[in-house]
């Protein structure tokens, strides 16, 4: 009964907000419950709660489906407001009835035009294929090895869009602490690498991942992404490394490479014995003790870095750090990474590190409406 009343309320809200299609809307009073806007030729656009096929059938989401039921759904989180849901259904139906492209921001499954949606619009105007744009709505249908599922993107990933280039996927993100960052990975899957937006946009290579919002012009950023999407190979820092490290490479060498791939330029093993990492920007501390880093330890390390007029970076190979220590690291804009001795990859310990650590996702944006244009 609760579900029945929910759909009745949605139907009423749709007719109030969108009188142009009020006469078309159908709200069945029997299972399966849904809202339907009939089109032509027996086709419809539907709004309904949706569960993905097993093994991804746990949490329900709201889905705008159709007119081709075989396509992946356009999904919204279960907590999305009624007004947004009925507006999304209306936008999809109007586009299908008029045989035109959905209007922004609904074409990106977003309720408002923010920085990422505006950038997606500008890229689309340049005929760049934008596969996904994520901001307020954090849920999307993605393709994984075992089918299609919902992926919920945490706030640490920032607002972002994914562009399909020639043989690569380019992700441009706007993050709360780091600003604008851009990553590239092969379209068929593989390791992500960070691009130096400072060097590419401003001609000033960045020593730290991210570029402050005030330094980025949207048109310039769109032009850069459009250029990168049209080249067969996007140059990255990894081009300067061999595909695999030599057999005798140390954990130090691996960490230097991972930091370079993550966007920390100028971090290199020291020339005298290769026992530490050097940087003109950071004081880099290796933590190899069996005890976790406490608040007093982090404050002491920060004091050393401040005395050298450098920012603090801590690489942890044993244990981790206490919550007060990590909170302090965030306050002083320090990076705290965990280095896995086996995989030799970087993991994030504090909030700032979580924003910049490279992720190798196992999903691709779900194929569907972005591959189809009304005819």
């Amino acid at each position: 009964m609760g579900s029945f009343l929910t759909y009745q309320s949605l139907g009423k809200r749709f007719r109030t907000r969108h009188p142009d299609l009020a006469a078309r809307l159908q709200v069945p009073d029997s299972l399966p419950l849904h809202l339907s806007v009939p089109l032509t030729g027996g086709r419809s656009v539907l709004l309904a709660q949706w569960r993905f096929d097993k093994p991804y059938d746990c949490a329900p989401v709201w889905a705008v489906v159709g007119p081709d039921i075989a396509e992946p759904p356009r999904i919204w989180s279960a907590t999305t407001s009624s007004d947004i849901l009925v507006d999304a259904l209306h936008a999809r139906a109007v586009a299908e009835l008029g045989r035109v492209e959905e209007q922004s921001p609904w074409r990106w499954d977003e309720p408002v035009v923010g920085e990422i949606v505006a950038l997606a619009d500008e890229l689309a105007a340049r005929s760049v294929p934008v596969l996904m744009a994520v901001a307020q709505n954090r849920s999307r249908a993605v393709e994984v090895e075992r089918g299609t599922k919902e992926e919920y993107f945490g706030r640490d990933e920032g607002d972002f869009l994914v562009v399909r280039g020639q043989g690569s996927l380019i992700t441009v993100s706007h993050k709360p602490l780091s600003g604008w960052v851009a990553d590239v990975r092969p379209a068929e899957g593989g390791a992500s690498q960070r691009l130096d937006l400072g060097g590419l946009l401003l001609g000033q290579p960045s020593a730290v991942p991210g570029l402050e919002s005030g330094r980025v012009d949207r048109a310039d950023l769109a032009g850069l992404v459009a250029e990168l999407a049209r080249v067969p190979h996007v140059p990255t820092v990894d081009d300067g490394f061999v595909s695999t490290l030599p057999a005798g490479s140390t954990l130090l060498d691996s960490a230097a490479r991972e930091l370079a791939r993550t966007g920390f330029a100028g971090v290199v093993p020291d020339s005298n014995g290769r026992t530490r990492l050097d940087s003109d920007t950071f004081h880099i501390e290796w933590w190899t003790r069996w005890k976790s880093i406490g608040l007093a330890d982090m404050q002491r390390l920060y004091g050393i870095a401040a005395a050298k007029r450098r920012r603090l970076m801590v690489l942890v190979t044993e244990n981790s750090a206490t919550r007060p220590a990590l909170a302090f690291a965030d306050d002083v804009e320090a990076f705290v990474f965990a280095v896995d001795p086996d995989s030799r990859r970087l993991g994030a310990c504090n909030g700032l590190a979580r924003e910049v650590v490279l992720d190798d996702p196992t999903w691709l944006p779900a194929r569907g409406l972005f591959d189809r244009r009304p005819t």
Side-chain angles (χ1 to χ4, degrees), residues 252 256 259 264-272 275-284 286 308 310:
L252 195 78
L259 287 168
F264 293 93
V267 176
V268 295
D270 72 295
S271 56
N272 299 321
T275 58
R276 57 187 175 83
L277 293 177
D278 280 344
S279 168
D280 293 335
T281 305
F282 290 92
H283 169 70
I284 303 173
W286 282 84
K308 296 180 178 180
R310 296 180 183 178

Side-chain angles (χ1 to χ4, degrees), residues 5 13 16 36 61 147 177 179 182 188 191-192 335 344 352 359 364:
L5 293 176
R13 196 64 184 152
T16 300
S36 173
V61 294
L177 302 177
E188 67 276 8
S192 300
F335 293 90
R344 300 194 173 188
L352 194 56
D359 181 30
L364 291 172

Side-chain angles (χ1 to χ4, degrees), residues 61-328:
V61 294
W62 286 102
V64 177
V65 186
D68 184 353
I69 301 301
E71 290 178 341
R74 315 283 290 277
I75 64 173
W76 299 76
S77 76
T79 58
T80 303
S81 73
S82 298
D83 287 353
I84 290 176
L85 291 175
V86 299
D87 289 353
L89 175 63
H90 178 263
R92 181 78 236 136
V94 166
E96 287 295 333
L97 287 167
R99 310 303 294 167
V100 295
E101 186 71 72
E102 263 177 290
Q103 294 299 304
S104 185
W106 305 106
R107 65 186 296 191
W108 312 116
D109 299 329
E110 286 292 328
V112 296
V113 176
E115 283 289 339
I116 283 295
V117 169
L119 179 60
D121 287 339
E122 183 132 9
L123 288 168
R126 297 170 184 253
S127 300
V128 178
V130 180
L131 306 186
M132 178 190 295
V134 175
Q136 287 194 22
N137 177 23
R138 310 299 296 183
S139 295
R140 291 296 186 278
V142 300
E143 291 187 357
V144 290
E145 184 177 356
R146 300 179 67 178
T148 305
K149 72 163 190 171
E150 177 205 10
E151 185 79 8
Y152 181 84
F153 298 97
R155 292 294 173 182
D156 289 333
E157 300 182 63
D159 300 343
F160 68 92
L161 58 81
V162 181
V163 165
R164 179 170 53 196
Q166 290 192 28
S168 65
L169 296 179
I170 302 169
T171 301
V172 182
S173 308
H174 186 260
K175 304 195 177 188
L177 302 177
S178 308
W180 290 100
V181 297
D183 306 325
V184 61
R185 68 181 173 112
E188 67 276 8
S192 300
Q193 297 196 56
R194 182 136 299 139
L195 302 176
D196 179 8
L197 286 181
L200 292 170
L201 279 176
L202 307 176
Q204 302 171 356
S206 302
V208 179
L211 199 58
E212 297 90 341
S213 300
R215 302 180 64 194
V216 177
D217 179 81
R218 185 190 305 143
D220 292 342
L221 180 57
L224 171 65
V225 176
E227 290 179 14
L228 296 176
R230 296 186 179 109
V231 299
H233 174 74
V234 179
T236 65
V237 68
D238 213 35
D239 295 332
F241 293 94
V242 293
S243 57
T244 57
L245 288 170
S249 296
T250 65
L251 185 60
L252 195 78
D253 295 322
S254 299
R257 173 176 176 173
E258 286 302 301
L259 287 168
R261 290 179 62 246
T262 305
F264 293 93
V267 176
V268 295
D270 72 295
S271 56
N272 299 321
R274 302 175 73 84
T275 58
R276 57 187 175 83
L277 293 177
D278 280 344
S279 168
D280 293 335
T281 305
F282 290 92
H283 169 70
I284 303 173
E285 187 78 22
W286 282 84
W287 188 268
T288 58
R289 306 180 192 178
W290 285 100
K291 68 178 287 286
S292 295
I293 306 174
L295 176 58
D297 298 313
M298 193 69 74
Q299 290 173 332
R300 178 180 60 82
L301 297 177
Y302 174 69
I304 296 173
K308 296 180 178 180
R309 297 185 178 180
R310 296 180 183 178
R311 294 180 65 175
L312 174 64
M313 178 187 296
V314 183
L315 303 177
V316 183
T317 54
E318 301 289 348
N319 282 302
S320 182
T322 64
R323 288 185 179 181
L326 294 177
F328 176 79

